[in-house]
Amino acid sequence: MATTAAGLVLLSQPVSTQNQLAMSLAAMATMLLLWLFLDGPRTRFVFLAMGSLVVLRYILWRVTSTLPSAGDPVSFGFGLVLLVGELYCVFILFVSLIINAEPLRRRPPPVARAADLPQVDVFVPSYNEDAGILAMTLAAARQMNYPPEKLTVWLLDDGGTDQKCADADPEKAAAARARRAHLRALCADLGARYLTRERNLHAKAGNLNNGLAHASGEIVVVFDADHAPFRSFLRETVGYFAEDPRLFLVQTPHAFLNPDPVERNLRTFERMPSENEMFYAVTQRGLDKWNGSFFCGSAALLRRAALDEAGGFSGITITEDCETAFELHSRGWTSVYVDKPLIAGLQPDTLADFIGQRSRWCQGMFQILMLKNPLLQRGLKPIQKVAYLSSMTFWFFPAPRLIFMFAPLLHIFFDLKIFVASVDESIAYTATYIVINLMMQNYVYGKFRWPFVSELYEYIQGLYLSKAIAAVVLSPRRPTFKVTNKGSSLDHDHLSPLSLPFFAVYALLLAGCGVAAWRYLFEPGVTNLMLVVGLWNFFNLLTAGAALGVCAERRQVERTPSLPIDRRGVLTLGGRAVDVAVERVSVEACTVRVPAALLTTGAGHRPMGGALTVVPVDGARPAGALPVTLDQVSRQRDDALCRLSFHALRPQDYTALAGLMYGDAEAMRRFQMRRRRHKDILSGTLQFAWWGLLEPLRAIRYVFLKEPRPAAIERVPALPLDEPVQPAGAPPLAPEPVGIGAAAPVSEAAADLTLAREPAEADGSSDWVRLMLEFENERLLAGERARRPSPA
């Protein structure tokens, strides 16, 4: 206590601008030394304490010395608004540092005997999802490593309710009845139970509560329709319930197979941590330390007894997940967070769907804040109240983000002095505060969030979430649950329909930069403050430019998201079986590596049908063979990479596909860890500036793109392999002898194939060998063409 009091006294002492700059620079240098040469919990606290002192010095100066005179009500009013925005950001910073100062890392749960494991009901709530997505999730849930007699998987279908089957629109009613019949049959084939209800009351919460009314397991597991669990999900989680009889929740992170609009359009999915990873890898672990980690709607286990005590899943707000956890924490129940990716899901593909999802989250958290204020909630410990308050007030970010975006324009266009400070003071206080703030955030979150990426996400959402916030403030009970669209098809480059406001803001900020430069260079009496404000506006311009890149939506590279894996299997084609390594898989296709020195260009052969049998992971039951079609083959050094597509999968085939794709949770963890490289402030700033400068050019180019017309696909017959392609107008080429018995030299691989031909045919695998020969002949032809001089 005495140390804190002494620190506050020192903090409040007035110092000169030069001394303030020296103190801030000394703090930066000390923090940098701690960062580079020392590590550990004590170093972490010292680092954050020193940074916090600089931030507090800035806030003290900001409140006492920089507001405009009250005699100028316009400048004073705008200045006060800017100050409130800054105070909000500092509040969020300090609350996040308190919560995340020492995130908890849980040890694995104890392993129980099969006889002691609890009965588990798995709920998969659905509304309008595609049957293929549901089949994959249900099959993955059924193949989890758990005694089958203690595991019941339920499809809770809100798209086939009696209300929908009796819709006044005959087409909608027929579609609902067909959906019900189809999904009922699908569940029967996959060993799941189909359940619907009379009416669509209380959205997802009502659907889950209907499941509770029919299920009887001790533990309830919830998976979103597009969240498929890995085989080890229950083995890594269910054991925690035996340790704590008051445990109501075990939450795991949401990991995704596909990029969100920011990641896809800026091409960062393979190299930058996803936006949600900071929340799941740091914040949820920080909340877990204080018994404050909460239910996130999916990938979670809940104790049935706790839900019964609270009357089921809460449904007053549209974020039933956080509301349910809020109620149970206040009743004295506890929670556990397991920081392991144990499911793989889908994110919204388009910017419009992304904004729609975040609007629902934002409105739901505001509903809880207004209807069930955590500060007034009985039963919560003080630190739990702070934890929930931080999670709810975070969604205020659109207000300060837009304030910071437009504030410099008031000085540039109207000469309003909303921030009274000299250039020297701005450097000594503001610039050092910004750098210190960046250092603390990069120190805590550097592996999970690149510099300035948070600002980009907040700006992109802020333009539209402001309306969502206003709707809740005006009518807290009015917002209704809306299902987020997933799996949208993006088959061509285009501008998002939400892009117009982003172009307007960019044009306004660009004009602001031009006016600031002109006034600073040519207008008499303009001080260096215009230069500082102009630089602030230029940073905002970079943010708006990067956002334009997000609005310029790129076409999808993959029609269905895939996961890099490391599995072994046997590929059977033409009656011959070959050992393969499966390297990447989606619900549509997979890529396998054939251990042979073969190459193909992917042309000159007909697709071949066959089967892929995968070696099961330890403890898993062997699954049936997957029907596949060999579509194309390419060469990678001495191996052949084959693309195998899955066509017309039967329900039982989804079990084999789920075993292949979701058999090993380490595949998702390896993918995440490859992206978790620390991004320092300098390189992160340069990357952000690159986006801000170049992405507007791509967005402008998209303005002039024409909408593609659907065209019939013309299938071009494959050229005979013994007739090389000849450029138009070129002199006729002499016939080339290729293939077995040809006089032309062949590679060692081709010679090996020649020797293997007759025995292979004897084994009934002539199609396989012929295909491999075609691959090699194509390679020889391609090499020969490359060596010829081009025709004049």
Side-chain angles (χ1 to χ4, degrees):
M1 197 70 175
T3 304
T4 303
L8 292 176
V9 171
L10 178 64
L11 184 69
S12 61
Q13 295 303 307
V15 295
S16 66
T17 302
Q18 292 78 11
N19 288 337
Q20 171 65 28
L21 179 60
M23 289 170 55
S24 298
L25 292 177
M28 280 187 212
T30 304
M31 292 168 66
L32 188 60
L33 291 174
L34 292 173
W35 195 345
L36 294 177
F37 300 108
L38 294 176
D39 191 19
R42 292 185 178 180
T43 301
R44 187 182 182 92
F45 281 110
V46 172
F47 181 97
L48 296 177
M50 294 195 68
S52 298
L53 286 175
V54 175
V55 173
L56 290 173
R57 282 285 306 175
Y58 167 77
I59 289 299
L60 179 64
W61 168 78
R62 183 76 175 85
V63 172
T64 59
S65 305
T66 63
L67 279 174
S69 169
D72 182 358
V74 176
S75 295
F76 180 78
F78 282 115
L80 195 59
V81 169
L82 178 61
L83 176 61
V84 170
E86 290 189 69
L87 291 176
Y88 163 82
C89 291
V90 172
F91 165 76
I92 292 296
L93 172 66
F94 281 131
V95 169
S96 67
L97 292 179
I98 292 171
I99 297 297
N100 302 322
E102 193 177 7
L104 180 64
R105 187 170 294 280
R106 294 272 180 179
R107 58 173 177 77
V111 178
R113 296 183 307 159
D116 297 332
L117 291 172
Q119 194 76 28
V120 172
D121 286 306
V122 177
F123 289 169
V124 181
S126 170
Y127 184 72
N128 59 357
E129 293 80 9
D130 181 81
I133 293 176
L134 293 173
M136 196 64 173
T137 302
L138 294 173
R142 286 288 302 157
Q143 61 91 48
M144 288 190 294
N145 186 10
Y146 207 73
E149 68 277 7
K150 294 192 173 187
L151 179 66
T152 306
V153 177
W154 299 79
L155 175 62
L156 309 181
D157 180 28
D158 251 9
T161 58
D162 295 346
Q163 176 185 349
K164 288 191 170 293
C165 289
D167 194 282
D169 185 333
E171 292 186 2
K172 291 182 179 179
R177 289 193 295 269
R179 173 187 173 87
R180 178 190 284 192
H182 180 62
L183 293 184
R184 190 189 300 273
L186 176 67
C187 288
D189 289 332
L190 293 177
R193 299 186 65 176
Y194 176 86
L195 181 65
T196 187
R197 52 185 177 142
E198 292 183 4
R199 302 183 60 81
N200 300 76
L201 296 176
H202 304 297
K204 183 179 178 180
N207 195 9
L208 292 171
N209 286 329
N210 184 58
L212 286 177
H214 291 81
S216 59
E218 301 170 57
I219 305 299
V220 172
V221 180
V222 180
F223 295 127
D224 279 347
D226 55 1
H227 283 189
F230 287 94
R231 174 174 165 75
S232 59
F233 181 89
L234 289 174
R235 188 186 65 212
E236 299 277 5
T237 54
V238 76
Y240 290 107
F241 288 97
E243 293 185 314
D244 181 2
R246 293 296 294 172
L247 177 65
F248 83 92
L249 170 71
V250 176
Q251 178 67 56
T252 70
H254 295 182
F256 298 103
L257 295 173
N258 65 316
D260 67 25
V262 176
E263 295 168 322
R264 187 187 68 254
N265 297 327
L266 297 183
R267 291 179 171 173
T268 63
F269 186 57
E270 297 289 339
R271 58 194 180 96
M272 184 180 79
S274 288
E275 180 225 10
N276 68 329
E277 286 192 43
M278 187 174 85
F279 171 73
Y280 284 111
V282 181
T283 301
Q284 276 281 47
R285 287 174 50 218
L287 292 170
D288 194 26
K289 179 180 176 64
W290 310 108
N291 189 27
S293 61
F294 56 85
F295 179 33
C296 298
S298 179
L301 302 85
L302 299 101
R303 192 186 294 270
R304 173 65 185 259
L307 291 171
D308 289 344
E309 179 184 307
F313 292 90
S314 301
I316 296 177
T317 71
I318 58 175
T319 48
E320 82 296 328
D321 42 16
C322 183
E323 184 187 352
T324 299
F326 181 76
E327 289 290 336
L328 289 171
H329 272 134
S330 66
R331 291 171 179 265
W333 291 88
T334 61
S335 60
V336 160
Y337 178 70
V338 178
D339 185 24
K340 291 183 180 180
L342 298 173
I343 63 101
L346 300 177
Q347 300 188 90
D349 292 291
T350 67
L351 181 60
D353 291 335
F354 177 80
I355 294 297
Q357 180 193 62
R358 300 311 169 92
S359 295
R360 176 168 61 84
W361 294 355
C362 175
Q363 289 184 320
M365 296 302 270
F366 264 93
Q367 283 182 300
I368 300 175
L369 179 63
M370 298 183 67
L371 300 175
K372 302 181 177 184
N373 191 322
L375 294 179
L376 306 178
Q377 183 74 12
R378 293 181 179 180
L380 291 178
K381 296 178 181 178
I383 190 63
Q384 288 179 307
K385 294 183 177 184
V386 172
Y388 273 106
L389 188 67
S390 69
S391 299
M392 296 170 190
T393 55
F394 163 79
W395 290 97
F396 273 111
F397 71 77
R401 183 55 51 205
L402 297 182
I403 290 171
F404 299 152
M405 185 64 66
F406 297 115
L409 299 177
L410 296 174
H411 181 69
I412 292 172
F413 288 134
F414 307 108
D415 210 26
L416 292 179
K417 304 291 191 299
I418 63 174
F419 188 109
V420 180
S422 66
V423 173
D424 290 343
E425 289 174 327
S426 298
I427 295 174
Y429 287 93
T430 307
T432 56
Y433 155 72
I434 292 173
V435 174
I436 290 287
N437 195 341
L438 284 172
M439 289 179 67
M440 287 195 292
Q441 293 190 48
N442 197 251
Y443 180 79
V444 176
Y445 306 116
K447 289 184 178 180
F448 310 99
R449 181 64 55 84
W450 287 7
F452 303 113
V453 169
S454 290
E455 285 76 4
L456 176 60
Y457 272 96
E458 289 179 4
Y459 167 65
I460 290 170
Q461 298 173 72
L463 287 181
Y464 285 93
L465 263 57
S466 301
K467 180 181 178 181
I469 294 173
V472 177
V473 172
L474 293 176
S475 182
R477 297 181 183 272
R478 184 176 180 181
T480 56
F481 189 97
K482 295 181 180 179
V483 177
T484 303
N485 184 36
K486 308 284 182 66
S488 300
S489 177
L490 296 172
D491 55 2
H492 63 279
D493 297 339
H494 68 282
L495 279 177
S496 169
L498 304 185
S499 60
L500 183 58
F502 293 96
F503 274 100
V505 172
Y506 185 82
L508 182 63
L509 296 175
L510 185 61
C513 284
V515 171
W518 184 87
R519 292 190 64 188
Y520 179 72
L521 294 174
F522 303 109
E523 185 174 315
V526 172
T527 65
N528 287 334
L529 183 60
M530 181 62 71
L531 176 62
V532 175
V533 175
L535 291 175
W536 177 8
N537 187 73
F538 179 70
F539 172 78
N540 291 340
L541 183 70
L542 293 177
T543 305
L548 283 182
V550 177
C551 295
E553 305 217 63
R554 300 181 191 269
R555 68 178 183 87
Q556 288 175 328
V557 177
E558 292 182 320
R559 289 194 302 177
T560 55
S562 63
L563 176 68
I565 62 174
D566 183 13
R567 300 289 298 278
R568 296 293 180 269
V570 177
L571 175 63
T572 304
L573 287 175
R576 180 170 178 173
V578 178
D579 291 333
V580 297
V582 187
E583 297 189 343
R584 184 174 284 272
V585 63
S586 72
V587 297
E588 183 180 70
C590 68
T591 302
V592 301
R593 183 181 296 273
V594 179
L598 302 170
L599 174 68
T600 180
T601 60
H605 72 274
R606 294 186 303 275
M608 291 184 62
L612 175 65
T613 304
V614 181
V615 177
V617 295
D618 291 342
R621 295 186 301 273
L626 276 166
V628 297
T629 300
L630 178 60
D631 286 337
Q632 65 184 44
V633 182
S634 61
R635 180 166 182 157
Q636 190 177 82
R637 297 184 180 178
D638 295 330
D639 293 334
L641 291 182
C642 305
R643 183 185 187 274
L644 308 174
S645 60
F646 311 125
H647 293 299
L649 290 175
R650 301 160 299 176
Q652 59 267 33
D653 295 328
Y654 281 96
T655 301
L657 183 55
L660 169 61
M661 193 167 183
Y662 300 108
D664 181 16
E666 283 297 300
M668 180 57 75
R669 191 189 72 85
R670 288 192 299 267
F671 174 64
Q672 286 189 337
M673 295 306 293
R674 284 202 305 268
R675 301 185 301 180
R676 290 180 182 178
R677 299 187 185 94
H678 190 276
K679 193 78 166 179
D680 62 78
I681 296 175
L682 178 59
S683 60
T685 302
L686 293 176
Q687 174 66 83
F688 190 76
W690 181 261
W691 290 333
L693 294 173
L694 293 188
E695 289 299 323
L697 302 179
R698 184 171 63 87
I700 293 172
R701 181 169 62 85
Y702 279 23
V703 172
F704 301 99
L705 289 179
K706 294 182 178 180
E707 189 76 15
R709 295 180 180 178
I713 300 176
E714 180 182 0
R715 296 192 176 275
V716 181
L719 292 173
L721 290 177
D722 56 354
E723 295 181 16
V725 178
Q726 182 177 349
L733 300 174
E736 289 187 78
V738 293
I740 298 175
V746 295
S747 66
E748 294 180 6
D752 292 340
L753 283 173
T754 303
L755 294 174
R757 182 183 183 190
E758 291 185 3
E761 287 182 342
D763 293 337
S765 57
S766 59
D767 288 341
W768 169 262
V769 176
R770 186 179 303 112
L771 182 63
M772 296 296 104
L773 288 170
E774 289 175 356
F775 296 161
E776 182 61 22
N777 289 337
E778 277 293 298
R779 185 182 71 82
L780 294 171
L781 287 175
E784 182 62 29
R785 293 178 196 129
R787 289 191 294 271
R788 292 197 189 101
S790 59

